[in-house]
Amino acid sequence: MILIVDDQEANIYSLKKLLESQNFMVDTALSGEEALKKVLKNDYALIILDVQMPGIDGFEVAETLSGFNKTKDVPIIFLSAVNKDKKFITKGYASGGIDYVTKPIDPDILMLKVKTFSRLYEQTLALNDIQQVLRSEIEERKKVQQELKEQVDNLYSTLESLPQLAFTANGSGDIEFVNSKWLSYADANMLPATHTDDLDIRTVWADAIHAEVPMELEVRIKELKSEVFRFHLLRIIPIKEKNNQLKWVGTFTDIDDQKQMEKKKDEFLSIASHELKTPLTSIKAYAQLLERTLNTTVDDPAAKYINRVQSQVSKLNALITDLLDISKIENGKLKITKKNFDFENLLSNAIDIIYQTHDNNTMVIERQGDRIADAFLGDEIRIEQVLINYLTNAIKYAPNTDRIIVHTEKNDHQVKVSVTDFGIGIPEHKQKNIFGKFYRVEESSVRFQGLGIGLYICSEIIKQHNGTVGIQSELGQGSTFYFTLPLN
């Protein structure tokens, strides 16, 4: 909008008609006072201001407007029919005008000036808006940078307070920060030297960087002033910042004492299991001889006692066998002998063994799913051991139900065997540890006996067949334990 300020209505009328003919919006004021009021309330792209007016003249109006932030950039064209001398023209420019036009006015020239100044004002406003946006962006970036700096400082302070070796690295794996403990093991920009028999950290980390996934690795490292290597657990996790830039944070945790304790425990289990095996075999043999010697009837109390002895010996023998298997697993000596066998026959045998070794006459084991007719390559005895363990657990942890489902599923790549019970179930937050060594769910450990090693052995057997194990369970609704085996 353009404001015309003149104390003569005839002048205002002619100028207004001229500007409106060119599609300009026009507002008018008959005095300097009225013009100042309107300028403070409204926004104008251009002011055409008469110099000679009663009260506040044009020069005073221009000087006043130049003192306000809102109006100091509004272009002013002075019009004068009387003050044509150089000193008045100079005063007009000095008071804030950008042009000085004397009457009589050439309409074409005036319109060219109006269009030019109006366009310049619009461009000025656009530039001001852009500057404001840029200022806002700069302030926002400063704020983000400050927040990022505070986060980095907090991270560095946290890493410095850790008892482990800690570091950060950029997206390419170049080390950027290490805590003080690190310097006892390596230079600030280098990874600690590892034992020659261990995996190379950089090689394993490169794969993690490519996939942008966390990594864990057990390695042996040593202090710079020592020759003794100690086991450390290396954990490195990716962190994405607000700008999606990838960083890595890692720690080396000393687990050597824990590894030594585990080694001693495994040695004890191995020795104890072997030492127990010999007297246990003798006890079993003497119980069988005693049974034959007494030649008792079924209802004879002595026969019942002998059966109970043999039952307990069998349980103890199974426990010792599991402990021996754990020892073999820990030492990498669990033997897997693969050969072709009939998978359907394995399933039938395992189910028959369960029927024969459990006294629940009402229990029904349902076989569902695909028939596996082709020969399968694997260790038949060990896979049967896994299935029997699953079935035994299903009976053990579902004492009030008489139904178990064995479901098989086959595709072009693998065989999946699932055992479903309708027992107590397992809480979701405890399912991830169920295949861990010596892990027992607290809710069941009080009611049911066991050491928590059976499922661990099962998972290791399946892993050595390049398969997977898993669980699906809902508390109070039962559980489904499954394992998969690749066909190739």
Side-chain angles (χ1 to χ4, degrees), residues 289-308:
L289 288 172
L290 182 62
E291 183 181 27
R292 294 172 187 172
T293 303
L294 293 177
N295 194 21
T296 57
T297 61
V298 176
D299 297 329
D300 194 325
K304 293 181 181 179
Y305 298 150
I306 291 173
N307 286 334
R308 289 180 182 176

Side-chain angles (χ1 to χ4, degrees), residues 63 91 204 213 219 241 248 265 321 327 333 356 392 448:
E63 289 174 354
K91 185 176 180 181
V204 180
V213 295
V219 292
E241 299 175 344
W248 295 87
K265 179 191 65 181
T321 301
S327 178
K333 295 179 180 179
Q356 294 167 11
T392 303
F448 304 100

Side-chain angles (χ1 to χ4, degrees), residues 12 20 26 28 94 116 232 246 264 296 298 309 415 426 450 468 485:
I12 289 178
E20 288 178 341
V26 179
T28 61
T116 300
H232 284 71
L246 192 68
K264 291 177 181 178
T296 57
V298 176
V309 169
V415 171
I426 299 171
T468 61
L485 294 169

Side-chain angles (χ1 to χ4, degrees), residues 67-82:
F68 294 104
N69 287 330
K70 178 184 177 184
T71 58
K72 65 180 181 180
D73 295 325
V74 179
I76 298 174
I77 298 177
F78 285 111
L79 293 180
S80 179
V82 179

Side-chain angles (χ1 to χ4, degrees), residues 337-396:
T337 304
K338 294 184 179 181
K339 60 182 179 179
N340 288 321
F341 66 89
D342 187 333
F343 208 96
E344 280 297 326
N345 186 57
L346 179 147
L347 294 172
S348 299
N349 288 342
I351 293 173
D352 287 342
I353 289 171
I354 294 299
Y355 277 131
Q356 294 167 11
T357 55
H358 289 77
D359 298 330
N360 189 346
N361 296 325
T362 61
M363 179 184 62
V364 176
I365 301 176
E366 298 180 14
R367 170 66 198 285
Q368 298 179 0
D370 302 329
R371 307 292 293 181
I372 305 171
D374 299 332
F376 188 87
L377 180 63
D379 191 324
E380 182 178 7
I381 296 175
R382 289 297 186 181
I383 295 174
E384 184 181 77
Q385 178 183 347
V386 173
L387 183 56
I388 289 174
N389 184 280
Y390 277 17
L391 289 168
T392 303
N393 283 349
I395 295 171
K396 180 178 180 180

